[in-house]
Amino acid sequence: MKVKAAIQYEYHKPLTIEEVELEDPGPHDVMIKMAACAICHSDVHCKHGEHGIVPLPGIGGHEISGYIEKVGSEVTYVKPGDLVIATIIPAGCGKCYYCSIGQSNMCTTNRLALFQPDTLSPKKASASLTLKAR
């Protein structure tokens, strides 16, 4: 599937809008057809290199909503057409104060993962819309 993405090639430079190819989901993955994607201030910090050195190129946007497009062969709890929200924020450590009160998005151990450079190249993306199912 081909989609448009805002790609960051360099820090402190404008994002480039380009077409990328999404890979099919693996056995434990789901592909989400996005209805909305937030670019929050964490993405802006990352764009300016304020989250430390994040390998580039990268595609920001870690707060998404949409519909399940495809599911991997081992995914059983969602099906194509289901409405979902998703984040690329780690689940949390389960031990810190924030995890203990149900706010794993504020976990003091796990850091925000805005980009998935190991699966991204300028013209091919899997992590921007294909997420590990939990």
Side-chain angles (χ1 to χ4, degrees), residues 8 39-51 114:
Q8 179 177 347
I39 301 295
C40 77
H41 208 74
S42 295
D43 295 295
V44 175
H45 283 301
C46 197
K47 181 179 179 300
H48 294 291
E50 296 165 355
H51 278 312
L114 297 177

Side-chain angles (χ1 to χ4, degrees), residues 1-3 20-24 31 33 69-70 129:
M1 171 191 289
K2 291 187 182 216
V3 297
V20 296
E21 182 73 30
L22 293 180
E23 298 174 346
D24 281 335
M31 181 181 285
K33 183 172 184 169
E69 180 82 11
K70 295 180 183 179
L129 290 179

Side-chain angles (χ1 to χ4, degrees), residues 26-104:
H28 301 281
D29 301 339
V30 297
M31 181 181 285
I32 300 170
K33 183 172 184 169
M34 281 198 288
C37 177
I39 301 295
C40 77
H41 208 74
S42 295
D43 295 295
V44 175
H45 283 301
C46 197
K47 181 179 179 300
H48 294 291
E50 296 165 355
H51 278 312
I53 301 301
V54 176
L56 299 176
I59 298 173
H62 59 274
E63 301 166 345
I64 65 175
S65 66
Y67 296 87
I68 298 292
E69 180 82 11
K70 295 180 183 179
V71 298
S73 60
E74 300 294 318
V75 176
T76 59
Y77 69 97
V78 292
K79 64 187 179 311
D82 285 352
L83 179 62
V84 295
I85 58 171
T87 182
I88 305 176
I89 296 175
C93 69
K95 298 175 184 163
C96 74
Y97 169 75
Y98 290 108
C99 287
S100 73
I101 62 169
Q103 294 182 353
S104 61

